[in-house]
Amino acid sequence: MAHDIEQFTDGSAAFASARVSAWHGLGTVTEGAMTAEEAMRIASLADWNVRKLPLTATELTAEGATSLEVPQHFATARTHPKTRRTETLGVVGSDYHPVQNEQHAEFLNLLADESGAHFETAGSLKNGRQVFLTMRLPQSLTIGGNDQVDLYIAAINSHDGGSAFRTVVTPVRVVCANTARAAINNARSSFVVRHTAGAKARIAQARSALGLTVRYAEEFEKAAQRMIQAEMTLSELKSVVDELWPVQDNDSPRAKTNQRQRWGQISHLFEHADTQAGIRGTRWAGYNALTEYANHVAPARGKTEADKMHTRAERVISGAATPLMERAFALTTV
């Protein structure tokens, strides 16, 4: 499972995390929450001066080398945070305008001042081609009186022209490339800024677009509470499972066997799993049984049990089951 965190020849890595070490064990873990300036400094994100350079092509002939300009195309480059040498990152068009890491952090600082959030992680991926900064919102969602879900604001930017500047509200704490993808996949609210001349102005507008009252979080919490208060029978859950994983009469015996095994595992989770304690027999329990099956129980590829565990872990981090879970939530909510 590649993390893509940028690593330097001095043994350090471009990653900072508040209080908690990431699974990859790289970077610096701070004792407390970070300011924007500390996150930038510790994660080696400061003073990159991302810029566009004219792009040329060199042709070697018998007469020597000929340099040719590539019109309407430029190389993006940065000043390397350790060597201070110029380093190219990608190829972009004439309308591309870099969003500096400092602008990235300044935007989140505005959100921190307004929401009370604090900086959690910061890092550089793919040798500077992508960077991220995240903050944790001060209040968790509380579902059913004891099930807490933290929400994060993650701002993810690319310097190689590969993607826009994107800010999301997500339940995923971004610590690497895989969790950056998962944050986007599981985003509860998002705002995208293209790398154009008006990018800086649009970043300033993103505060209102994100709606840091986190309306989604409030609505999700309300929906979950309604689901906890609504009973769900085994036959109702079976109807949801049949819609999520339909099997026809003319399907193969193997497909029908898989269907029976799947239902046996989901119904067991619904009726007996410790994770359902306190919510058993409700629609919220039904949704959680489906989630637990899809992420942790469903068959995984691998020759050994360790391989299968790795596949399941990657399934969770990559958000592979997200589309299924969105359908499951729609079918179980009230």
Side-chain angles (χ1 to χ4, degrees), residues 19 52 100 125 135 211 218 233 235 239 273 278 302 311:
R19 300 176 305 280
K52 293 195 302 185
Q100 302 295 334
L125 305 170
M135 297 188 303
E218 294 174 353
T233 65
S235 61
S239 297
T311 300

Side-chain angles (χ1 to χ4, degrees), residues 276-298:
Q276 308 299 335
I279 59 172
R280 205 176 309 282
T282 66
R283 300 188 76 83
W284 182 243
Y287 172 70
N288 278 273
L290 294 167
T291 300
E292 188 168 353
Y293 171 80
N295 283 321
H296 303 290
V297 180

Side-chain angles (χ1 to χ4, degrees), residues 219-228 230-232 240 282-284 286-287 290 325-334:
E219 291 305 314
F220 180 83
E221 192 170 18
K222 290 176 183 176
Q225 296 295 355
R226 290 195 301 270
M227 292 164 74
I228 287 173
E231 293 183 1
M232 188 174 207
V240 173
T282 66
R283 300 188 76 83
W284 182 243
Y287 172 70
L290 294 167
M325 290 303 92
E326 289 175 349
R327 290 184 59 211
F329 188 81
L331 290 170
T332 53
T333 191
V334 288

